[in-house]
Amino acid sequence: MITVVIPTIGRPSLAATLAALEPSLPVIVADDRPDRQAREALAVPGHVTVVHSGGRGPAAARNAGWRAARTPWVTFLDDDVVPGPGWAEALEKDLADLPADVAGSQGRIVVPLPEGRRPTDAERNTAGLAEALWPTADMAYRRSVLEDVGGFDERFPRAYREDADLALRVRRAGHRLVRGRRRTVHPVRDDGFWASVRLQRGNADDALMRRLHGPAWRQAIGGAPGRLRLHAVTTAAAAAAVLAAGVAAVRAGAGDRRGARRALSAAASAAGLWAGLTAEFAWRRVAPGPRTPGEVLRMAVTSVAIPPVACAHRLRGEWRVRR
């Protein structure tokens, strides 16, 4: 009745995901490593089927997985989650006797946070999965519905927005999505100092979401308002400060002292706006966290980098969707 599909790039966490599943449950692992890396076989139990998607991203990997399944239901898990005790039995109960108009069932994601201190920015970001709608960290769909809507849109190259896009298309086709009672743990992992900056690549995918689902797409998926406009103002202020300072230097070199003073005044105003917006952004990220020296340093440095990086990725995304 149910096949579990897990896309992976060979992360060590896959072993814990597979170990938490009942051996009697059909499991397909979609190996999305580039072909040259996939020549070395994944270490998976003998009952697990492996398909290859050639390093084209999680959307393509999930499509390869569900298309290889032959059961009425396909449940998607990420390769860094751990299904809870009794998960398979709870999944069967979640899917049993669902009305025909229900196309999918969402699992309950549990994100264990550290005790005795406030969570860091990265930990809070992961904890958001507990309230997110339709994450493929644990999401079951009728295979027939996946066929009808064409599965995941492979223009989404990252593990970001491709699950929300699928859910919106499924609902637009007249189906309902419900929340089940099964529980899956999503551990928090440390992705490094620059993780929050790398996450800004998702702004390119937001451009595709807007193109596909209109300007209200964020409300449709229950998301909070984004900060891209403020990032654009912050970036523009920084660029204006640098430009004005350059103009001041040129005019001072030409002996135009009055022009140089005006340009320096403009540079100071723009720099003040940039500093104020950057400080507000950094404090917004620091205030709810543990405020340790390392966390404060990370927030300060990355809060400077994020606005221009976010804007650059969004422009790249807009250019891509217009092509």
Side-chain angles (χ1 to χ4, degrees):
M1 175 182 178
I2 306 165
T3 298
V4 176
V5 170
I6 307 171
T8 188
I9 53 174
R11 292 190 292 190
S13 55
L14 175 65
T17 305
L18 293 174
L21 297 173
E22 295 289 340
S24 59
L25 196 62
V27 177
I28 296 175
V29 167
D31 184 351
D32 196 46
R33 295 176 297 170
D35 291 338
R36 63 181 182 279
Q37 296 179 13
R39 293 172 186 168
E40 182 178 346
L42 290 171
V44 299
H47 68 280
V48 173
T49 300
V50 177
V51 297
H52 298 274
S53 50
R56 294 182 292 123
R62 292 191 186 98
N63 282 340
W66 72 258
R67 286 171 179 148
R70 294 295 177 264
T71 52
W73 284 93
V74 177
T75 301
F76 298 100
L77 294 177
D78 285 345
D79 70 348
D80 58 350
V81 303
V82 181
W87 181 86
E89 181 180 356
L91 173 63
E92 291 184 1
K93 291 180 179 178
D94 284 345
L95 304 183
D97 302 322
L98 285 176
D101 67 326
V102 174
S105 169
Q106 172 181 343
R108 297 179 182 269
I109 305 300
V110 178
V111 181
L113 295 175
E115 298 181 0
R117 66 163 173 81
R118 296 176 179 180
T120 64
D121 180 71
E123 290 165 348
R124 293 193 304 274
N125 182 65
T126 303
L129 286 170
E131 302 299 329
L133 294 177
W134 323 303
T136 41
D138 184 344
M139 186 73 197
Y141 279 104
R142 293 186 190 271
R143 191 182 186 284
S144 59
V145 172
L146 292 172
E147 290 178 341
D148 290 342
V149 302
F152 293 87
D153 190 333
E154 297 181 13
R155 289 175 292 179
F156 290 93
R158 283 167 289 277
Y160 189 74
R161 303 302 190 202
E162 83 292 357
D163 46 7
D165 165 73
L166 173 61
L168 290 179
R169 287 188 285 116
V170 167
R171 296 180 70 194
R172 190 181 303 147
H175 305 287
R176 288 192 296 129
L177 302 174
V178 299
R179 188 183 292 268
R181 300 187 63 84
R182 64 190 184 280
R183 296 166 68 88
T184 296
V185 175
H186 192 303
V188 175
R189 64 175 187 269
D190 184 1
D191 286 335
F193 189 93
W194 298 101
S196 59
V197 178
R198 291 194 298 271
L199 285 175
Q200 302 312 308
R201 291 178 295 184
N203 282 281
D205 304 307
D206 287 350
L208 180 56
M209 287 291 287
R210 182 182 177 88
R211 174 56 65 93
L212 295 175
H213 303 290
W217 68 268
R218 199 179 293 272
Q219 294 92 321
I221 66 171
R227 194 183 168 91
L228 188 64
R229 291 182 180 178
L230 282 175
H231 286 338
V233 174
T234 305
T235 303
V242 172
L243 178 61
V247 170
V250 170
R251 289 184 175 177
D256 183 2
R257 295 182 179 180
R258 180 177 297 181
R261 286 196 298 269
R262 289 176 180 173
L264 281 174
S265 177
S269 297
L273 177 59
W274 170 83
L277 288 172
T278 301
E280 181 273 334
F281 180 43
W283 177 246
R284 183 182 291 271
R285 301 171 69 207
V286 168
R291 306 186 194 178
T292 60
E295 177 72 358
V296 171
L297 176 63
R298 182 188 306 207
M299 295 301 97
V301 173
T302 57
S303 293
V304 172
I306 283 174
V309 172
C311 292
H313 283 301
R314 183 55 180 261
L315 289 173
R316 178 174 59 83
E318 294 290 349
W319 172 256
R320 186 180 66 193
V321 299
R322 279 163 174 72
R323 293 180 63 188

